Amino acid sequence: MEELNLHLTGDIHAVTAAHNLAAAAIDARIYHEQRQGFEAFETRTGLKALKIDSKNVVWKRVVDHNDRALRMVTVGQNEINKTINGYERQDGFDISAASELMAILALSKDLKDLRARIGKIVVAYSIDGTPITTEDLQVAGAMAVSMKEAIEPTLMQTLEGVPTLIHAGPFANIAHGNSSIIADSIATKLSDFTVTEGGFGSDMGFEKACNIKASATDKKPDCAVIVATLRGLKANSGYMTLSREPQSQIAFMAKTALR
């Protein structure tokens, strides 16, 4: 279990590295364009100035710890009369599982699809309000290479010896919250039936499994298993008083909850 709960194959580290590569590229581009001026930058590098609005960067950094002290930070601080560390701006850290790259990894069909999706990520806006992507920053290819091993699912087994493919883990409250399309595709080809998780509850993970994941893969669930407790059904049914007929009460609450 410690292999699963700690580093496993390093997929989360790969997501973290690829994500922070884009974050570093944003601040490097801001630094060089502002230090030289847009025209001088274009003349020296042959690149088009992106003119990133430092107050409208939407790509935070990530770390694989729930470190609330890093949710809001200031980057680019310098010693007096120096700018070597870049230009100061407000930034922050999300947890690695909340990275858009994790959500993309779970929805990608192969490495080519992963590369295309990464290239479309909007990381900031220019001073004119134009969206700036990782493709514009010319880091999309490097980000994909950083994740080229992470695209492969990990084969493990449950305590009962059931083969299990573990792959990806996007947060359901800000992403789709489902395991990967690649893992599901492999499993359905190798077994008579596949059980996959629609994480974070039926009102988030399962709904997004149907509306997002199934749409992306053209594979709809053949059936769904809802895990619930009598107490949970009662709490969400609006029928809080105990009935003298327990069986009729259970049926009423189940019908109400499913409605």
Side-chain angles (χ1 to χ4, degrees):
M1 286 189 180
E2 67 275 10
E3 293 183 12
L4 168 63
N5 290 319
L6 294 176
H7 305 288
L8 198 56
T9 56
D11 289 357
I12 292 181
H13 300 305
V15 168
T16 302
H19 184 111
N20 289 336
L21 171 63
I26 292 169
D27 283 300
R29 194 62 174 259
I30 292 173
Y31 172 71
H32 289 293
E33 288 190 11
Q34 291 191 8
R35 181 174 64 91
Q36 299 176 1
F38 300 137
E39 292 185 5
F41 172 83
E42 291 180 342
T43 300
R44 189 179 72 84
T45 65
L47 300 173
K48 180 181 178 181
L50 297 178
K51 302 179 181 179
I52 299 173
D53 181 355
S54 60
K55 295 182 180 180
N56 205 359
V57 175
V58 295
W59 189 256
K60 294 184 178 181
R61 288 163 164 81
V62 296
V63 63
D64 191 31
H65 293 286
N66 186 19
D67 192 345
R68 65 181 64 248
L70 294 177
R71 291 177 181 174
M72 295 180 67
V73 300
T74 302
V75 298
Q77 294 188 38
N78 290 276
E79 297 178 12
I80 297 176
N81 298 323
K82 291 186 177 181
T83 60
I84 189 65
N85 294 333
Y87 289 89
E88 191 171 309
R89 68 178 183 86
Q90 297 301 307
D91 198 14
F93 281 79
D94 292 322
I95 197 166
S96 296
S99 169
E100 187 174 341
L101 292 177
M102 185 66 83
I104 286 175
L105 178 64
L107 290 178
S108 298
K109 298 181 178 66
D110 50 38
L111 188 58
K112 182 179 180 180
D113 187 29
L114 176 70
R115 169 64 178 82
R117 289 174 180 270
I118 290 176
K120 297 176 182 178
I121 296 174
V122 174
V123 295
Y125 293 85
S126 72
I127 56 178
D128 300 322
T130 303
I132 297 171
T133 67
T134 56
E135 206 75 77
D136 296 324
L137 280 173
Q138 299 185 354
V139 295
M143 293 168 69
V145 170
S146 296
M147 295 176 61
K148 69 181 182 67
E149 302 296 335
I151 201 170
E152 298 179 1
T154 301
L155 176 62
M156 300 187 77
Q157 63 179 351
T158 67
L159 295 177
E160 292 78 23
V162 179
T164 302
L165 288 169
I166 299 175
H167 198 207
F171 273 13
N173 54 341
I174 55 96
H176 56 89
N178 285 265
S179 56
S180 76
I181 286 175
I182 292 176
D184 285 359
S185 178
I186 293 173
T188 53
K189 291 179 180 178
L190 297 177
S191 60
D192 294 329
F193 62 88
T194 298
V195 177
T196 189
E197 180 186 10
F200 234 65
S202 60
D203 57 338
M204 295 187 75
F206 178 65
E207 182 178 347
K208 293 174 181 178
C210 295
N211 294 336
I212 299 175
K213 184 178 179 182
S215 176
T217 189
D218 296 326
K219 173 62 178 175
K220 299 177 176 59
D222 296 304
C223 69
V225 177
I226 300 177
V227 180
T229 64
L230 179 59
R231 182 177 181 180
L233 289 172
K234 179 181 177 182
N236 289 280
S237 68
Y239 188 76
M240 297 300 294
T241 59
L242 290 174
S243 168
R244 292 183 179 180
E245 301 179 8
Q247 295 301 320
S248 63
Q249 179 191 5
I250 293 172
F252 176 82
M253 287 189 292
K255 181 178 180 181
T256 304
L258 291 175
R259 186 183 304 163

